[in-house]
Each structure stands twice: as structure tokens, then as C-alpha cells.
Amino acid sequence: MIHRFLLIPLLCVFPTLSIGQNADEYTPFVEDGKVWVVMSLLGAPPYYTTLTFELAGDTTIANHLCKKLMVEEKPYFEESRYEPVVGYLMAIYEEEKKVYFCLKDHTEFLLMYDFGAKEGDELNVWYPNIPFYGNHLASFHYQVGPRSTSGNFSELKLYDIGAKEDLEKETGRELPINTYSFRWVEGLGSYNSPLINGGAAWYGWSGRIIDCHVGDRYLLYDKESFDYLNTLTGIPAPSIENRKSSNSNCYDLSGRRLTTSPVKGIYIRDGKKVVK
């Protein structure tokens, strides 16, 4: 079995193409039908996989109307090495630029992002340690740094106070505030994954978002990465125009992905219920 958090060199974490948004306007994290495609590397020799996250369908937990976050993993190597992750991960809702999540089979909501935080604020947020080790949780203590823009993205810098203090105890010396820093990205979460919200979570994670879109509106698209991945399958990467015209992702009411839209019945497409 391949261990998923090997310490390996990180691929370039910056997107090659960002489109369809204005850094001066807030871009919500939670949007109906939003899709993230994450390309990751699992050790040496390199084993590539993609994780496709999608906000598809509604659920109500503790009086909060939420979106279901689904995932489908596609390994680019012998699939028998481990069981790919597929299905429902968690419920998510956003309120006043704060993003909360509730893991599958849980009822408690925890703070994952606060995109409205101000420089100098201190935050305690939770990292959903999945789909890598199951339904486990880790917490982070951050101090908020400056806000900036990169291309079309608005970024918020964070300093990992807890990790810095742990290292200070180990070394016996005082360290600068920016010893461990990380960036949150409006609309994406981070450049690495919608779920990687902290530096300690990111350490050893060799992955990045190569596609993020809501319907026909693209926040990010990295065709070069798709081209590279698809050399392993012989299938050329589709253009943005072709991706827009392709069939939308569909799920049944149990969260299973459908290969085609049903002729009759009830199903979820682009985060909305469809009745035929």
C-alpha cells in the first residue's frame, strides 16, 4: 500500500492560468456545482493521481443548509495498489466569509476558513484530514498576515503560531513570526487543494489545483498539467471550450457518480436536483 503523505519535492504550486474572476470582488468558496481537480504525486517512482472534488447536492445538518462535498479519485497507475477514494466526504456551508464543515457521520461543524479575517487577528481553524487518513481532525492556531493579490486571486497570508512555538521549544531560541506561513486563496481554498488549509497539513503534500470551475465560469485551468497527465493515458486534454460543452457531472441521491444523465428519475447535476 502506498503511503500518501511522503515527504517529496513539491511540484510548482502556482496556477498557469487564472480566469473568470476579479480579485477586488469577493469570490465565495461555497458555490453550487463548484468543481476542483487536484493533481497529486505519491512518492518515488512518481505515481500520479487526480482528486476531483465537487459541491453537489444539498443537505441540512443542525439547522444549517449545506452543500455536499463529493470526491472521485483517479490513479494514473495500477489501481490495485490501494482503493481509490470515491463518494461523500463532508457537508459545507459559508456564512459571512467563514467556511464551516461537518464530516460524514458527524454532527458538529468546525471552522475551516475565515476569508474575512483582518491582519493581526488570531484564528483557531480545523483541518479535515481526509481523504488521506479517514475522518480525523487537526487544529491550527494562526495569526493573520497581510492581504494581497496574485493575478486574479485575492490571497490572505497566515502565520502558523502553533508550529513556530513547537519549534522554539525544540531549539530553545526565539523565531520570527513568519517561520511558518501559508496562503488562503478566495474561491479556491489554497493553490494546493480546497481542503489543505494549513502549512502543517501541506508539508509533504505534493499536489496542486489544476482546474476549478463553476459551470462555464473558470477560476483556474492548467492545460499543461492535463496534457502531461493524459500522456499516461493517450487521451489529449480537452480545451476549456470542449470542457464547457461536455456533459455535466451527475450523481444519484446516494452520492454515486453517474456516467450519463438518467432518462427518468431524480438525480443531482451541477449541485442541483433534476426531476425527469
Side-chain angles (χ1 to χ4, degrees):
M1 177 178 290
I2 294 176
H3 197 291
R4 292 168 132 88
F5 261 33
L6 298 174
L7 299 183
I8 47 183
L10 180 68
L11 298 170
C12 176
V13 299
F14 296 96
T16 60
L17 176 62
S18 60
I19 51 181
Q21 68 174 26
N22 186 338
D24 295 329
E25 299 177 0
Y26 179 67
T27 303
F29 181 84
V30 177
E31 298 181 89
D32 280 341
K34 178 175 279 187
V35 174
W36 296 261
V37 180
V38 177
M39 172 183 174
S40 63
L41 178 62
L42 307 175
Y47 298 106
Y48 289 97
T49 184
T50 56
L51 292 161
T52 300
F53 299 93
E54 181 175 4
L55 292 172
D58 295 333
T59 185
T60 301
I61 301 175
N63 297 319
H64 295 290
L65 180 61
C66 310
K67 295 297 177 185
K68 293 180 179 180
L69 184 66
M70 317 298 293
V71 66
E72 181 176 29
E73 184 175 21
K74 180 180 180 182
Y76 285 79
F77 53 91
E78 184 183 350
E79 294 189 22
S80 61
R81 292 175 181 272
Y82 69 87
E83 188 68 23
V85 180
V86 178
Y88 171 56
L89 290 181
M90 64 181 73
I92 297 180
Y93 77 92
E94 184 169 1
E95 185 175 81
E96 297 180 349
K97 300 184 181 181
K98 294 182 174 72
V99 178
Y100 299 89
F101 72 96
C102 177
L103 294 178
K104 180 178 65 174
D105 301 325
H106 289 236
T107 57
E108 181 183 7
F109 281 93
L110 300 170
L111 181 65
M112 182 160 57
Y113 293 108
D114 182 357
F115 292 106
K118 307 298 183 183
E119 186 171 0
D121 289 350
E122 293 198 14
L123 302 174
N124 289 302
V125 298
W126 291 84
Y127 162 53
N129 205 4
I130 57 175
F132 311 102
Y133 295 127
N135 290 354
H136 302 302
L137 296 166
S139 61
F140 296 116
H141 180 202
Y142 288 144
Q143 181 174 317
V144 179
R147 190 177 296 273
S148 61
T149 59
S150 176
N152 291 336
F153 292 105
S154 177
E155 302 175 347
L156 189 63
K157 193 167 188 178
L158 297 112
Y159 305 116
D160 192 329
I161 303 300
K164 180 183 80 74
E165 291 176 348
D166 288 344
L167 187 58
E168 286 176 334
K169 291 177 183 178
E170 291 180 14
T171 61
R173 58 190 179 89
E174 188 174 349
L175 299 171
I177 187 68
N178 62 350
T179 298
Y180 294 103
S181 64
F182 193 70
R183 290 173 299 169
W184 288 350
V185 187
E186 286 185 9
L188 295 183
S190 74
Y191 290 123
N192 302 100
S193 164
L195 301 184
I196 303 294
N197 66 342
W202 164 84
Y203 185 62
W205 164 254
S206 186
R208 69 178 187 274
I209 296 173
I210 60 176
D211 178 354
C212 182
H213 65 273
V214 185
D216 289 346
R217 178 169 60 88
Y218 275 73
L219 281 69
L220 182 153
Y221 183 72
D222 182 352
K223 186 176 183 299
E224 290 183 3
S225 291
F226 277 106
D227 283 337
Y228 177 74
L229 284 175
N230 286 303
T231 59
L232 305 178
T233 63
I235 303 172
S239 66
I240 289 180
E241 289 73 20
N242 290 337
R243 293 172 68 84
K244 289 178 180 180
S245 63
S246 64
N247 291 330
S248 301
N249 291 326
C250 298
Y251 297 85
D252 66 16
L253 297 182
S254 299
R256 294 185 293 263
R257 186 185 288 273
L258 304 175
T259 56
T260 60
S261 299
V263 177
K264 294 179 65 177
I266 303 173
Y267 61 96
I268 304 298
R269 183 177 64 199
D270 291 338
K272 299 179 176 62
K273 185 182 291 185
V274 177
V275 180
K276 284 188 176 181

